[in-house]
Amino acid sequence: MQGRSLLIAATAATALVLAGCGGPGAGGGGGARDANADPSDLRIGISLPSQDEERWISDSAAIEQGLADLGYQIDLQFANNDIPTQQQQVDQMITQGADLLILAPLDGTALSPQLQAAEGADIPIISYDRLIRNSDDVDLYVTFDNFKVGAQQATSLLRGLGVLGPDGADTGKRGPFNVELFGGSLDDNNATFVFNGAMSVLQPYLDNGTLVVKSAQTQLAQIATENWSQQKAQERMDNLLTAHYSDGSRVDAVLTPNDSVARGAITALQNAGYGPTLESGPRPMPITTGQDAEIASVKMVSDGVQYSTVFKDTRVLADQAVHGADDLLKGKEPELNDTESYDNGAMIVPSFLVPVHAIYRDNIDTVLVDSGYYTAQEVQVGRLE
């Protein structure tokens, strides 16, 4: 993590400088691209959802550094969670001569006109982390194994309740336990994979009564969290507590799809008198899951407030996108490890899935600190330095 703060701070400024280089047609605009062209003559447009989430800042820094190391021109833009802004930014990338696009769409179907324009200009497209849907104009999808993310979240929840042991074996403990479910944003295809992964593990325990959802809200459309918003998650958790737990019953666990949603749910639970930790208070904090291993949530796991999160090493994902872009621009086949799972409605998108890791209080040091992703000091204070 040495120097990460400087790299992140420089990202926006560097993007503005590089976005101004070359002007229209700087790299030949795709159609005129030469597979033997020098990277310094080629321009790569990158569109990411926002700067509101820590993970997109980390992704942007890693992608930008990797492409810069190879010598490419870079046009990096953040859409500020606004679909028209992302459409306009991608349009601009195309007209200014992008030779390849790396896109993390806010809405998997909203970039159709831009994708068609890119296809017409022979501009390769990499769908980054979030799947571009209903288009056959996608050359590569690089993402984490999001079905496994959900499965790991559900396994962590069952482990925290004691239904599963540390080795994953069923302990025979049957509760019943009151559980509430949260999902991701419906416009993000990853939310479906995460939800389906979680339910593949939880459904047998819902069926046999080990887990009870008092709200009866178990469908993704019922539990989705717009824009993965912490505030909306807090509001929904508040409503669930008022509507279904005012009789004195307690929430034993909350399946939350990422760390921002987890923090929203935890805030509502704390305000309702839960906690302060998993092991203290008249009503201990419920078992709560997460995703992204954001530093604020890693501290909460370390402090025993949040039970677990799922670490997705954005350094590895960014590196895969960088190498995929380099291969495509050089006329090579990019590395793949999945050609079956991701049907976007128009095609099976050739994909590379990056592995994920469950994070608990006892493996923060070995997985996150020893790998250099965070420092021990960052974990202790809960912020990047």
Side-chain angles (χ1 to χ4, degrees):
M1 291 303 300
Q2 296 294 330
R4 180 202 280 192
S5 298
L6 292 175
L7 180 59
I8 290 173
T11 296
T14 305
L16 288 173
V17 171
L18 291 174
C21 296
R33 186 178 62 253
D34 179 356
N36 296 315
D38 190 276
S40 63
D41 294 326
L42 300 177
R43 181 189 191 91
I44 297 178
I46 308 160
S47 176
L48 300 180
S50 76
Q51 291 174 289
D52 294 337
E53 292 183 54
E54 177 187 310
R55 70 142 304 180
W56 294 119
I57 299 297
S58 298
D59 283 67
S60 68
I63 296 170
E64 186 178 38
Q65 186 67 61
L67 292 173
D69 287 346
L70 294 177
Y72 288 102
Q73 297 180 42
I74 303 159
D75 182 359
L76 170 64
Q77 302 287 337
F78 294 93
N80 300 318
N81 283 321
D82 182 69
I83 292 171
T85 296
Q86 187 168 51
Q87 292 171 324
Q88 182 180 27
Q89 288 173 344
V90 176
D91 276 332
Q92 186 178 48
M93 290 175 188
I94 294 170
T95 59
Q96 289 186 342
D99 292 280
L100 181 140
L101 296 173
I102 299 175
L103 307 177
L106 285 166
D107 182 311
T109 62
L111 294 176
S112 293
Q114 290 72 33
L115 297 175
Q116 291 173 6
E119 175 67 13
D122 193 28
I123 301 172
I125 296 168
I126 295 177
S127 185
Y128 183 83
D129 191 61
R130 297 180 173 185
L131 182 64
I132 294 170
R133 301 201 300 266
N134 299 333
S135 173
D136 59 5
D137 299 328
V138 185
D139 295 272
L140 174 65
Y141 181 35
V142 291
T143 189
F144 295 100
D145 191 335
N146 291 296
F147 187 92
K148 187 171 289 185
V149 168
Q152 287 191 344
Q153 290 172 344
T155 299
S156 296
L157 183 146
L158 293 171
R159 173 176 158 174
L161 291 172
V163 176
L164 299 180
D167 60 355
D170 193 304
T171 65
K173 191 174 181 180
R174 288 294 176 260
F177 300 101
N178 291 326
V179 176
E180 293 298 336
L181 312 178
F182 282 72
S185 191
L186 289 176
D187 57 7
D188 182 350
N189 193 67
N190 288 350
T192 300
F193 277 90
V194 172
F195 174 74
N196 288 343
M199 294 306 288
S200 73
V201 175
L202 294 183
Q203 194 62 57
Y205 295 95
L206 292 167
D207 292 343
N208 70 16
T210 300
L211 305 180
V212 176
V213 180
K214 288 194 70 178
S215 69
Q217 296 175 10
T218 59
Q219 301 302 309
L220 181 56
Q222 297 172 303
I223 68 171
T225 309
E226 184 181 356
N227 291 329
W228 306 80
S229 165
Q230 179 173 333
Q231 182 60 41
K232 291 185 182 298
Q234 181 178 341
E235 292 170 358
R236 179 167 177 261
M237 191 75 247
D238 283 334
N239 292 334
L240 290 173
L241 292 170
T242 299
H244 303 287
Y245 294 90
S246 58
D247 59 0
S249 57
R250 60 165 278 115
V251 182
D252 296 302
V254 185
L255 179 81
T256 49
N258 79 342
D259 287 339
S260 60
V261 174
R263 290 195 296 272
I266 286 170
T267 299
L269 290 162
Q270 289 173 329
N271 291 342
Y274 284 85
T277 70
L278 296 157
E279 301 165 350
S280 64
R283 290 192 296 174
M285 184 61 63
I287 301 300
T288 309
T289 62
Q291 176 188 184
D292 294 329
E294 293 184 359
I295 188 61
S297 290
V298 171
K299 176 174 172 53
M300 294 173 79
V301 173
S302 179
D303 291 344
V305 179
Q306 182 171 321
Y307 182 69
S308 68
T309 185
V310 176
F311 174 46
K312 306 189 309 185
D313 194 336
T314 55
R315 297 169 301 184
V316 179
L317 186 69
D319 185 65
Q320 202 62 45
V322 167
H323 286 295
D326 192 48
D327 285 340
L328 288 168
L329 288 171
K330 291 178 178 177
K332 301 177 182 178
E333 288 293 325
E335 183 181 5
L336 307 173
N337 62 11
D338 189 300
T339 56
E340 299 178 356
S341 300
Y342 288 88
D343 185 344
N344 75 351
M347 64 180 292
I348 304 295
V349 184
S351 305
F352 188 95
L353 309 185
V354 174
V356 297
H357 308 277
I359 298 297
Y360 301 98
R361 195 175 188 178
D362 62 4
N363 69 351
I364 290 173
D365 285 347
T366 56
V367 179
L368 296 177
V369 176
D370 291 352
S371 71
Y373 196 78
Y374 294 132
T375 67
Q377 176 67 13
E378 287 170 334
V379 172
Q380 182 178 353
V381 299
R383 63 178 183 274
L384 300 179
E385 295 189 328

